Amino acid sequence: DQTNLQKMPTRQNILAAFRWLRNGAKSGDSLIFHYSGHGGSVEDTDGDEEDGMDETLIPVDYQHAGYIVDDEIHDVLVRGLPKGVRLTSIMDCCHSESILDLPYIYTVDGDLQVIETSKNEGIVTLVGAGTRFLLDGNKKKAIASIKEGMKSLMSSTSGGNSAAREKAIKTRSTEADVIQFSGCRDSQTSADAQIGGEATGAMSYALITSLKKNKNQNYTQLLKEMRQLLNGKYTQIPCMSAGRKLVLDDSFAI
């Protein structure tokens, strides 16, 4: 219903908002960006996506102006942010797991383990095994997961597009502290919700509710709590990504 052309979510206005947010950012600054809208995916053309697909934002004028591809989002909003700047991005849209093109992605599996995702299932299992023990103290299951992960690594020298992963780490890592919360995996859609009579994104609701319940959570606890709030109501799995490898038991901060 917006009639002010400068405030409509056009391609040009969204990119201008990215530039406005980061312009002049310096060490000690904390930036917050929230997007709740349409997301999509298109074929990757530069070889930095393990699944061969780029994720996109879909502006209101996409039919003639085009999508905003994740490579461009990263280049305009993220790339070159100086050390000491913190950017927290909340991307509540479809296909949003890697929409900022950050190289380190974390999600929650069916056992409520927080895992660093990779197409190499051995690595996923090993990372998840340690987190399983942190979350529920189940040493027996953690040891079983470690054995399974080692077996997978020993039996396979490849898993997914490792060249794409290496390129992403080399070209998309950041000096700034960039954290993204996304509504779902790249292969999923993100649900709208009616909560308390108001329209909201399901992931946005889960994140806000989790922080209202407990402001002093680490990354593992926060992502796990979000997953539990959505589990059983929505099929989407919330994810978190970062420009640098996270220490998951560090406290979440904006």
Side-chain angles (χ1 to χ4, degrees), residues 11-205:
R11 189 181 197 281
Q12 179 179 328
N13 286 347
I14 292 172
L15 291 173
F18 290 167
R19 296 185 182 98
W20 170 85
L21 179 62
R22 64 162 295 160
N23 186 39
K26 59 185 182 302
S27 180
D29 287 348
S30 179
L31 314 177
I32 300 176
F33 176 76
H34 178 231
Y35 175 86
S36 188
H38 291 295
S41 59
V42 296
E43 187 174 350
D44 173 44
T45 58
D46 64 357
D48 66 343
E49 299 282 353
E50 287 186 87
D51 62 357
M53 301 296 290
D54 277 324
E55 283 58 56
T56 67
L57 299 183
I58 304 178
V60 68
D61 59 346
Y62 76 94
Q63 288 182 315
H64 68 268
Y67 303 124
I68 305 175
V69 180
D70 52 11
D71 300 71
E72 186 172 14
I73 298 169
H74 184 95
D75 287 345
V76 176
L77 181 61
V78 176
R79 188 179 301 281
L81 282 172
K83 185 176 181 179
V85 172
R86 175 174 289 270
L87 169 62
T88 303
S89 179
I90 303 160
M91 306 299 287
D92 201 349
C93 57
C94 299
H95 312 291
S96 52
E97 178 182 14
S98 63
I99 205 160
L100 254 62
D101 254 1
L102 301 174
Y104 300 101
I105 301 176
Y106 305 85
T107 190
V108 184
D109 72 1
D111 294 323
L112 293 181
Q113 299 180 82
V114 175
I115 57 176
E116 181 181 320
T117 66
S118 166
K119 299 301 180 184
N120 191 318
E121 293 302 323
I123 293 175
V124 168
T125 304
L126 286 171
V127 174
T131 310
R132 177 197 292 277
F133 184 67
L134 289 175
L135 289 177
D136 59 19
N138 193 325
K139 181 184 282 189
K140 188 174 182 179
K141 283 189 176 181
I143 291 173
S145 293
I146 290 171
K147 289 180 178 178
E148 181 183 342
M150 288 300 296
K151 182 178 179 181
S152 178
L153 285 176
M154 294 296 290
S155 64
S156 175
T157 58
S158 64
N161 189 338
S162 59
R165 181 167 177 79
E166 289 174 10
K167 180 177 180 179
I169 291 173
K170 183 177 180 179
T171 63
R172 309 293 189 192
S173 295
T174 64
E175 291 190 353
D177 295 315
V178 182
I179 306 292
Q180 173 198 320
F181 290 94
S182 53
C184 61
R185 303 292 303 268
D186 279 345
S187 59
Q188 295 180 315
T189 57
S190 227
D192 294 327
Q194 283 284 338
I195 300 171
E198 294 185 0
T200 184
M203 186 277 284
S204 297
Y205 165 77

Side-chain angles (χ1 to χ4, degrees), residues 197-218:
E198 294 185 0
T200 184
M203 186 277 284
S204 297
Y205 165 77
L207 177 61
I208 292 168
T209 301
S210 299
L211 291 173
K212 281 184 175 179
K213 287 174 63 176
N214 181 6
K215 296 179 181 179
N216 301 310
Q217 301 184 68
N218 61 34

